[in-house]
Amino acid sequence: MERIKLTIHHLHKIVSGEKQDAQAVARIYAGEHLLLTETMTGQALHYNRYIKADDHSGEPLRVEWECDGFAEMSVSRAEVCPCCGGDELHG
């Protein structure tokens, strides 16, 4: 398994002039192949999610999303610690 880092740059909706929780569905692709779908609810401002995914064979990653408010996301490959397999590298 490899890890993918999904960065939610922002997620919210505006109701009566105030930020509220929003719901979004993100679809992550390697090339044209759909790797996985993630559903999220709430508010976020630059939040990283690390997701296990099947081998994506080095194809370029991209994310598309649907949201009932405002969202912006990006996706990249995550470095995994060689000694423990965690999301953070350490010595």
Side-chain angles (χ1 to χ4, degrees):
M1 284 280 192
E2 295 191 4
R3 296 209 185 196
I4 293 174
K5 181 170 104 173
L6 173 64
T7 301
I8 304 160
H9 299 284
H10 63 266
L11 172 64
H12 66 274
K13 64 182 173 184
I14 304 294
V15 177
S16 299
E18 294 186 20
K19 284 186 179 181
Q20 301 286 325
D21 289 355
Q23 183 171 0
V25 176
R27 290 178 187 82
I28 300 172
Y29 295 85
E32 295 302 314
H33 176 72
L34 176 64
L35 289 178
L36 54 100
T37 301
E38 284 286 305
T39 301
M40 57 210 80
T41 301
Q43 293 182 52
L45 182 60
H46 198 78
Y47 178 76
N48 294 323
R49 292 178 75 167
Y50 293 88
I51 306 162
K52 291 183 181 181
D54 292 332
D55 179 28
H56 39 79
S57 304
E59 291 286 326
L61 297 177
R62 66 184 168 86
V63 61
E64 296 178 0
W65 61 89
E66 296 173 19
C67 179
D68 66 354
F70 303 97
E72 183 178 350
M73 301 178 201
S74 61
V75 66
S76 62
R77 289 176 173 79
E79 290 189 55
V80 176
C81 180
C83 68
C84 68
D87 299 328
E88 299 293 325
L89 297 176
H90 55 85

